Amino acid sequence: MKKIILLAVISICLTSCWDFNREQDFKNAENQGKSILVKAESEKRALIEQAKAENEAATLQAEAKIKIAKAEAQAEIERAYGVAKANEIIGNSLKGNSEYLRYLQIEAIKNSKGSKIYIPTEAGLPILEAK
């Protein structure tokens, strides 16, 4: 009788241990699946954040290029204004200075390359002949 009871207790223990192991394996598999899911969601969020950061960086670079282009355009306008003002000043200073302009003309002819013959005309312009 003791043997039967002992066999029954051992049988119950083995069955309980087997059920416990089976349940533990099921829980481990479930936890592993949850872990994989959490990892995948985390990686997905990381990729989304990276894409957002890259998009923001590209937007900032485009805005910087626009600002640079506008600054360069403004600088070009300022240079053109300076040239126009200088031309106005030079033009005003040369009014009534025909002798100085004639001097500059003679100097330009004298300093140019090649042989020249200067023949004054009524208009004060040289006659140039190319060979």
Side-chain angles (χ1 to χ4, degrees):
M1 177 91 149
K2 287 183 180 180
K3 287 184 180 184
I4 294 176
I5 294 175
L6 184 62
L7 283 174
V9 170
I10 290 175
S11 175
I12 292 171
C13 285
L14 286 176
T15 304
S16 296
C17 286
W18 183 79
D19 282 343
F20 176 78
N21 272 345
R22 194 173 57 114
E23 287 178 27
Q24 192 61 42
D25 287 344
F26 178 75
K27 287 179 182 177
N28 287 344
E30 185 179 17
N31 286 336
Q32 185 179 10
K34 287 179 182 177
S35 174
I36 291 170
L37 180 62
V38 167
K39 182 179 178 185
E41 288 175 355
S42 176
E43 289 174 355
K44 178 182 171 184
R45 281 193 302 273
L47 288 173
I48 290 170
E49 290 301 318
Q50 181 180 359
K52 285 180 182 178
E54 289 173 357
N55 187 27
E56 187 176 337
T59 301
L60 291 174
Q61 286 179 342
E63 289 173 357
K65 287 180 181 179
I66 290 169
K67 285 181 182 179
I68 290 170
K70 286 181 179 179
E72 288 174 349
Q74 187 60 38
E76 191 65 29
I77 290 169
E78 292 298 323
R79 277 191 290 277
Y81 176 76
V83 169
K85 192 67 176 168
N87 288 342
E88 180 185 346
I89 293 169
I90 291 170
N92 288 337
S93 70
L94 292 176
K95 288 181 183 174
N97 288 325
S98 59
E99 293 83 15
Y100 179 67
L101 292 174
R102 188 158 312 172
Y103 166 77
L104 290 177
Q105 181 183 20
I106 293 168
E107 286 297 310
I109 292 170
K110 181 172 83 173
N111 293 330
S112 64
K113 294 182 180 176
S115 58
K116 296 160 247 5
I117 300 173
Y118 179 73
I119 303 172
T121 62
E122 292 178 14
L125 299 173
I127 298 173
L128 301 174
E129 184 176 314
K131 291 184 182 181

